[in-house]
Amino acid sequence: MSNAHQFWRLNFTSGYSGYVSLAQVEYRNIDGVRVSVPTSSGSLATASSIFSGTYPASNAFNNSAGTFWNSSSSYPHWLKYDTNGLDIIDVFTVAIKIRDGYSSEQAPSVFTLEMSDDDVEWIEVLSVTGATWINGEFNLYEIDRPFKYKIAGTVLVNEVPEKRWINIYKRTDGSWVTGGYSDPVTGKYEFRMTNNQIHYAVILEDETNLIYNSQVRDMIIPAEIQGD
């Protein structure tokens, strides 16, 4: 199941001074490759505050250690990344580098990371306390991958369970979310989700040519989100 989301927000609640100054924040995939792109490529970065216009939130995502985001002087602070219509990003780790030379000053020691599909409902996936920093080096954190909801059902063809490929799409814009096979013996399928406020479409594909087969799709039961 994908952990891909549009919004990612770091929340800083304590540190070595009132400021937070970050040179780089990278959201990375399972292979350790950066999937967050600079705002110059279309993403958006915002923050609870900036020290001045010279130190905007976008500096934390521009892939340069020579610039940085600098907050105002009083906790708490937050720093948010928005894919802004680009492909949503599937994140496994977050890498953070502080402003060079400020490992014991403008560096956070307590913070969390949250993810969201809609910028309203947020799910915490990382909690850090007692963070320490080395100038010029990234701190790398592996995030939790919680899935609180599920789409589950059984594929029956002429009342017989079958193995078929299932795709999950968002009804709002038709974007693909995830996919997988039903069990070849029981016909059962289950996809873990993080959000119960999004309407999903469950589409069963024809096994031969991957063309939607409405007669088979109608036999999927049930096809709604269920709580644990």
Side-chain angles (χ1 to χ4, degrees):
M1 172 58 203
S2 171
N3 203 46
H5 298 277
Q6 178 178 348
F7 301 95
W8 298 84
R9 184 174 66 189
L10 286 160
N11 302 297
F12 306 100
T13 54
S14 183
Y16 299 99
S17 73
Y19 298 94
V20 173
S21 188
L22 301 183
Q24 289 176 269
V25 175
E26 295 185 357
Y27 294 110
R28 299 177 178 179
N29 64 16
I30 192 172
D31 298 315
V33 177
R34 177 173 55 89
V35 290
S36 49
V37 301
T39 56
S40 59
S41 297
S43 65
L44 291 177
T46 53
S48 53
S49 65
I50 58 173
F51 183 78
S52 74
T54 306
Y55 312 111
S58 58
N59 281 356
F61 301 99
N62 66 3
N63 199 29
S64 171
T67 60
F68 50 90
W69 163 63
N70 212 129
S71 74
S72 62
S73 61
S74 180
Y75 282 97
H77 308 293
W78 54 260
L79 178 66
K80 182 168 64 179
Y81 178 83
D82 175 4
T83 60
N84 190 36
L86 302 174
D87 290 340
I88 57 178
I89 54 177
D90 192 1
V91 175
F92 280 75
T93 57
V94 57
I96 304 173
K97 182 185 292 186
I98 62 166
R99 177 185 177 186
D100 195 28
Y102 285 78
S103 61
S104 60
E105 297 179 43
Q106 298 178 17
S109 59
V110 180
F111 58 93
T112 61
L113 174 65
E114 298 174 305
M115 61 186 185
S116 175
D117 295 313
D118 55 13
D119 201 20
V120 176
E121 179 184 0
W122 292 87
I123 297 173
E124 183 178 302
V125 292
L126 174 69
S127 179
V128 177
T129 59
T132 58
W133 306 85
I134 299 175
N135 287 319
E137 295 187 11
F138 278 105
N139 277 16
L140 186 64
Y141 301 96
E142 183 175 346
I143 71 170
D144 295 330
R145 297 172 64 81
F147 305 111
K148 294 185 176 181
Y149 306 95
K150 64 183 178 182
I151 295 175
T154 304
V155 175
L156 299 175
V157 180
N158 297 323
E159 303 302 320
V160 177
E162 283 205 10
K163 175 184 176 181
R164 294 294 175 91
W165 182 266
I166 298 164
N167 281 320
I168 308 297
Y169 299 90
K170 287 185 180 180
R171 289 186 182 275
T172 52
D173 59 10
S175 61
W176 183 83
V177 178
T178 189
Y181 281 106
S182 58
D183 185 271
V185 177
T186 65
K188 294 184 180 298
Y189 62 88
E190 180 177 305
F191 299 97
R192 305 296 293 185
M193 318 299 284
T194 60
N195 194 322
N196 68 342
Q197 302 300 314
I198 294 177
H199 295 290
Y200 296 97
V202 180
I203 306 296
L204 187 65
E205 307 291 349
D206 182 89
E207 196 170 45
T208 303
N209 53 19
L210 296 182
I211 295 177
Y212 169 57
N213 185 327
S214 61
Q215 291 182 333
V216 177
R217 176 181 180 268
D218 292 341
M219 297 180 184
I220 297 178
I221 54 171
E224 71 270 5
I225 296 177
Q226 305 171 347
D228 284 335

